[in-house]
Amino acid sequence: MKKFIWPINLILLKEIDSTNQYAKKYIHEKCKKYNWIVIWTINQTKGVGMNNNLWYTEKKKDLTFSIIFKPIQVLHIKKIYIINIIISNAIHKILSECYNSKNKEQIWIKWPNDIIINEKKVGGILIENSIFSKKIHTVISGIGLNVNHKKLKREWNASSLEEIFNINFDLDYLFYKIIFFIQKEYFLFTIYGEKFIREYYINHLYLKDKNSLFYIYKTNNYISGIIRSINDQGFLLIEFDKKIDFFDQKEIKFLHFSIYFILLFLNFYI
């Protein structure tokens, strides 16, 4: 599958430390000629995820690539989150529609942009933007997806698509399909607007309307709350004691559900 809404310039690399780092070096030179540039490597050695966490991949087993593009519609800096939504929605739709049509698995988008299946992480997205005069000029989106990964450590709380769906995935086919779905989701945004794509994202938010445990960096506290939605700037809306508060991604941390039950147990007996 190699059909696209907009033509792409594909840069294929045998090995690179980070596709996002490579993209940042060539962003200005390449973007003069192309609006959609995709940098794909079969072996990323030092991938970085959110909060500078390392993203571990297995050579020729996973998908690691970066997309550089210039938004057709001018986006204000306050609307950075829209790119997160577009790419998260696209990957969620691929996995749900193409590989999980019978809804055997639980597929979610963990705010702001991780893909969770059966309580385990299978993919992550790192967005970096070139901003001029409070407007987003160019977007670099790094995408990592555990596809046929075998060497997953238990402490990562991660899984792979092959492990979940019991399918040996064709990386080329899946790669081109993801690019098309991302372009399609962006196209839907240009036609129907922000509210339309945000609604899908909210409907598939991980832990939405469920009691969950969070760590609040500012107060250095663990708090039980319920995710209700996101607002029009991408902040996470959480209900604490019947009051709604909002957070950006640097202010709060999700805790794994097993830790939540441990703390509940301790509180019960203290």
Side-chain angles (χ1 to χ4, degrees), residues 74-164:
V74 175
L75 292 176
H76 191 273
I77 188 173
K78 291 183 179 180
K79 298 296 183 179
I80 285 177
Y81 86 102
I82 289 175
I83 306 300
N84 283 341
I85 286 183
I86 288 169
I87 296 174
S88 298
N89 284 1
I91 295 175
H92 186 278
K93 287 180 179 180
I94 289 171
L95 299 179
S96 300
E97 296 173 14
C98 301
Y99 302 105
N100 196 44
S101 58
K102 295 182 180 179
N103 297 316
K104 292 181 180 179
E105 316 297 340
Q106 294 182 313
I107 306 176
W108 302 101
I109 301 169
K110 181 181 176 183
W111 178 86
N113 47 25
D114 285 342
I115 304 299
I116 303 292
I117 306 180
N118 294 347
E119 303 292 342
K120 292 189 176 182
K121 183 175 177 176
V122 298
I125 301 158
L126 178 64
I127 308 291
E128 300 182 83
N129 301 284
S130 174
I131 297 170
F132 179 74
S133 189
K134 295 185 178 181
K135 301 291 190 300
I136 300 172
H137 178 262
T138 310
V139 176
I140 299 176
S141 174
I143 299 168
L145 197 61
N146 296 334
V147 183
N148 299 315
H149 201 129
K150 302 288 187 183
K151 302 174 182 178
L152 292 164
K153 295 182 180 180
R154 181 176 295 180
E155 59 265 29
W156 296 346
N157 193 42
S159 188
S160 68
L161 299 183
E162 180 181 338
E163 185 177 77
I164 292 167

Side-chain angles (χ1 to χ4, degrees), residues 191-207:
I191 295 175
Y192 299 110
E194 175 184 343
K195 186 177 179 180
F196 177 83
I197 62 167
R198 190 170 70 228
E199 183 177 354
Y200 181 92
Y201 181 93
I202 292 170
N203 287 339
H204 297 91
L205 261 182
Y206 180 60
L207 298 177

Side-chain angles (χ1 to χ4, degrees), residues 60-74:
K60 297 183 179 180
K61 297 288 186 180
D62 300 323
L63 284 179
T64 49
F65 60 95
S66 294
I67 301 172
I68 308 172
F69 76 96
K70 293 181 179 180
I72 295 174
Q73 295 185 8
V74 175

